[in-house]
Amino acid sequence: MKARTRTLIAAALVLGVAAGPVAAAEAAPVPAPVSAGVSAPVFSAPPNAAALAKAIAGVGAGNKDATAALVRVGGTSGAWRGSAGVADVRSGRAALEEARFRAGSVTKAFTAAVVLQLAAEGKVDLDRPVQDYLPGLLPGFEPVKVRQLLNYTSGLRSADGPGDTFADEYAHRFDVVDPHALIADAVAKGPEFKPGEKQRYSNIHYTVLGVLIEKVTGTAYEKAVGDRVLKPLGLRHTSFPSRTQNRIPGPYNHGYQAVAAADGSRSLVDVSEWNSSSNWAAGDLMSTTADLERFTVALFAGKVVPRAQLEEMFTVPDVADAASETGAHAVQTAGLKEFVLPDGTKLYGKTGSRHGYSTVIGGTRDLSRTLVYSVNSTDAKGRDMNPVAYGIIGAAFAR
């Protein structure tokens, strides 16, 4: 999640969205379970179909921001499905609505869910130092609680990548990276701050949690998530790539990165094939919008993580955001993030960005409105939110 996301959502709700052709369909209301005895639903009216169609109109080969968009808005107030754009810019064939894609940091919600399941089973104590479970992994660090890894308050610094530019990353796109090497690189830098003092969002926390899951379950991280989340929910189109896998399995819409030349011209580089082993438990997941919607509804309804532990995913630690220059309050939870709409309504969700692919899952806690999208962004790792994604969020949560 980018630091400016909360402001962008508010602006999207005020400013509206762009126009053009779209393939969309209104769906019948999809019941979603909510807790008994709660107040009236946050969203009681159906999603605004016209605004949503407008938000993804014009997406395609000629759009500078996105080549494809897949959207699912659901909840107790009704549902809407839409897709737009192309599967690949060369052929111009229509985007595949059931396409698989790289979900990026949405993976963290799955990782957090497994850790919280283990906590519910008494196999992991969230207030116990991770060093007790993984002795020798964090030499020179004060005790770091498992909870502090979940909510990014551990003080761990990020590991180094191949470089700071797209060109650097593209040149190393097929590198196979060992998560233990990433942890060693991060640890060698020493702590940024005392555990629990501030919040700093980064992948390294969830890389350590992936190692923790393997230690506690005695199995591979991917198998643990598969057995505990994917199989029980029937997420048949969700998977983790092998360490040497570069292609997205099954049908997919190609992802592209816009690259500017010295003369000011712009070209699209196909980034569909990429080794994502460096992201692992923090961002390696591949999925579909249908599977992610099913996961989101089940998670919020307490069907993935027991409700006592699920509170961790809706609780923001009372610390400052270390990335904020103004000392803003933290917004990350265990595997999710809190957003506040202009009217004060709280949303919870997670974004994920891999080159060529931008993803969101989330909604209101009462499940009256949910949103899942995959946007084939031409600058998915850019500083600002993609304008198409920006419009989709504004349309999905407009009153």
Side-chain angles (χ1 to χ4, degrees):
M1 286 271 179
K2 299 176 177 64
R4 296 181 62 207
T5 302
R6 182 182 300 189
T7 302
L8 289 170
I9 290 175
L13 288 164
V14 173
L15 296 176
V17 292
V22 61
E26 291 186 63
V30 179
V34 292
S35 302
V38 298
S39 58
V42 176
F43 287 89
S44 56
N48 188 325
L52 285 161
K54 191 177 180 182
I56 59 174
V59 169
N63 188 296
K64 69 181 182 64
D65 298 311
T67 56
L70 313 175
V71 183
R72 297 175 75 92
V73 179
T76 55
S77 59
W80 184 90
R81 312 281 181 263
S83 64
V86 296
D88 67 87
V89 298
R90 291 186 177 181
S91 71
R93 60 195 175 96
L96 305 170
E97 187 175 356
E98 300 304 321
R100 299 186 187 189
F101 50 84
R102 302 184 189 279
S105 288
V106 168
T107 308
K108 293 181 176 70
F110 288 74
T111 302
V114 172
V115 173
L116 293 173
Q117 286 180 357
L118 294 171
E121 295 163 11
K123 297 175 182 176
V124 169
D125 183 342
L126 299 184
D127 288 315
R128 187 175 174 185
V130 69
Q131 290 96 323
D132 289 356
Y133 299 98
L134 301 169
L137 190 71
L138 304 179
F141 277 70
E142 294 184 17
V144 174
K145 297 177 181 178
V146 175
R147 177 180 282 107
Q148 291 166 340
L149 290 169
L150 283 166
N151 63 24
Y152 313 98
T153 60
S154 71
L156 277 167
R157 298 179 188 272
S158 296
D160 291 328
D164 297 327
T165 68
F166 169 72
D168 292 333
E169 294 186 9
Y170 187 74
H172 292 271
R173 66 192 183 280
F174 298 138
D175 288 2
V176 177
V177 180
D178 182 350
H180 290 84
L182 291 174
I183 295 171
D185 180 86
V187 169
K189 300 176 182 180
E192 179 184 5
F193 48 78
K194 289 181 177 295
E197 186 176 75
K198 299 178 183 178
Q199 184 176 81
R200 169 79 74 177
Y201 178 83
S202 69
N203 283 352
I204 197 64
H205 302 80
Y206 278 68
T207 304
V208 176
L209 288 173
V211 175
L212 174 66
I213 288 171
E214 292 196 328
K215 178 65 177 294
V216 174
T217 64
T219 190
Y221 163 79
E222 296 83 355
K223 182 172 176 14
V225 178
D227 290 346
R228 288 172 165 272
V229 181
L230 307 189
K231 290 179 182 178
L233 294 182
L235 306 184
R236 294 186 295 276
H237 303 299
T238 301
S239 63
F240 292 92
S242 68
R243 287 178 52 76
T244 58
Q245 181 179 335
N246 302 324
R247 293 179 60 86
I248 300 172
Y252 65 92
N253 298 322
H254 285 241
Y256 300 91
Q257 172 70 29
V259 178
D263 63 1
S265 63
R266 178 178 176 273
S267 61
L268 294 179
V269 175
D270 193 323
V271 291
S272 307
E273 293 190 25
W274 203 290
N275 185 289
S276 56
S277 58
S278 63
N279 296 279
W280 194 46
D284 216 5
L285 193 78
M286 298 181 186
S287 193
T288 64
T289 53
D291 270 11
L292 291 182
E293 182 179 59
R294 177 177 291 190
F295 169 73
T296 302
V297 172
L299 179 69
F300 282 36
K303 295 183 177 181
V304 179
V305 176
R307 291 194 179 277
Q309 287 71 33
L310 185 60
E311 285 300 313
E312 297 290 333
M313 301 187 83
F314 298 105
T315 301
V316 177
D318 189 16
V319 295
D321 178 0
S324 171
E325 297 179 356
T326 61
H329 196 272
V331 293
Q332 307 288 344
T333 72
L336 298 177
K337 180 178 179 178
E338 181 185 89
F339 306 87
V340 181
L341 299 182
D343 64 1
T345 299
K346 288 185 179 180
L347 308 176
Y348 295 89
K350 190 75 193 77
T351 61
S353 296
R354 299 285 299 136
H355 286 299
Y357 301 90
S358 297
T359 306
V360 150
I361 67 170
T364 56
R365 188 170 180 181
D366 69 353
L367 287 173
S368 61
R369 180 65 46 83
T370 62
L371 170 65
V372 173
Y373 69 63
S374 170
V375 172
N376 289 71
S377 168
T378 58
D379 189 21
K381 304 293 284 184
R383 178 178 178 273
D384 295 328
M385 177 176 279
N386 179 271
V388 173
Y390 177 80
I392 291 170
I393 294 173
F397 297 104
R399 298 284 185 174

